[in-house]
Amino acid sequence: MKTFISIEAGPGMGFATAERFAKEGFEVVLSARSVDKTHGLAERLISKGYKAHVRRVDASDPKSVAELIAEVQKQQGSIDVLHYNAASMRKATLSEQPRDSFNHDLAVNIGGALVAVQAVAPTMEKQKSGAILLTGGGFALAPSPDFLSISIGKAGIRAMAHGLFEQFREKGIHVATVTVCSLVSPESEKPSAVAEQFWRLYSQPKDSWTVEVNYPPVNA
């Protein structure tokens, strides 16, 4: 059974994407800082007959992210799909944001993704397969001065996906991002729609791999 791990699996896109992959036979690992809330998400999956586990991770702490990947790889044998979904959605202009919080936001929004990719890549390279899926955002395309740290973070996510795509494709690893250009409420149908975009990216034949899709589609 293949393994899917979600870093910062919240009740919206994180959970919906994990459920989408669980439906396809993946064993799911949900991780977040709040394990109590995450246990509730895992129980929802288990009640539907899926295999789900919970782990704690602090996406702002490189050591925590690296240890999570190592633990799951040891227990599951490998990680077939990594979904980095962490984000610090802070409303603050340049003058409003203290330095410490800015650095923390960058650590969550892009630093943790870098560490996670570094951690999963060696094993994926050995097995010549795997997928690294990154939750992007519309602020990467249209940065906001009122949401500066998340704008920089999502620009970093997009740059990482595009920067690694060709190099990793040669190694059999599909790096891709869904650039979410819409507010996504957990109670709406949007999380499932985003999850479907991630599944479609994962399901692409290797000779047709793409690095990015926008949600909603540009022509929607």
Side-chain angles (χ1 to χ4, degrees), residues 41-56:
L41 299 178
E43 288 170 3
R44 286 170 59 185
L45 294 176
I46 293 170
S47 69
K48 296 180 180 181
Y50 305 133
K51 290 189 175 182
H53 311 275
V54 173
R55 298 289 184 273
R56 186 187 181 280

Side-chain angles (χ1 to χ4, degrees), residues 18-92:
E19 183 175 30
R20 183 66 182 88
F21 278 78
K23 288 179 180 178
E24 301 295 335
F26 281 76
E27 190 165 355
V28 169
V29 179
L30 305 177
S31 67
R33 290 188 65 178
S34 175
V35 292
D36 290 339
K37 293 180 180 178
T38 312
H39 274 296
L41 299 178
E43 288 170 3
R44 286 170 59 185
L45 294 176
I46 293 170
S47 69
K48 296 180 180 181
Y50 305 133
K51 290 189 175 182
H53 311 275
V54 173
R55 298 289 184 273
R56 186 187 181 280
V57 69
D58 181 351
S60 71
D61 181 357
K63 182 180 179 182
S64 177
V65 175
E67 288 179 346
L68 167 70
I69 298 297
E71 177 186 357
V72 173
Q73 286 176 328
K74 181 178 180 180
Q75 293 178 349
Q76 303 297 123
S78 67
I79 292 173
D80 299 282
V81 178
L82 164 70
H83 180 208
Y84 192 84
N85 190 60
S88 179
M89 190 72 173
R90 185 190 304 274
K91 184 176 182 180

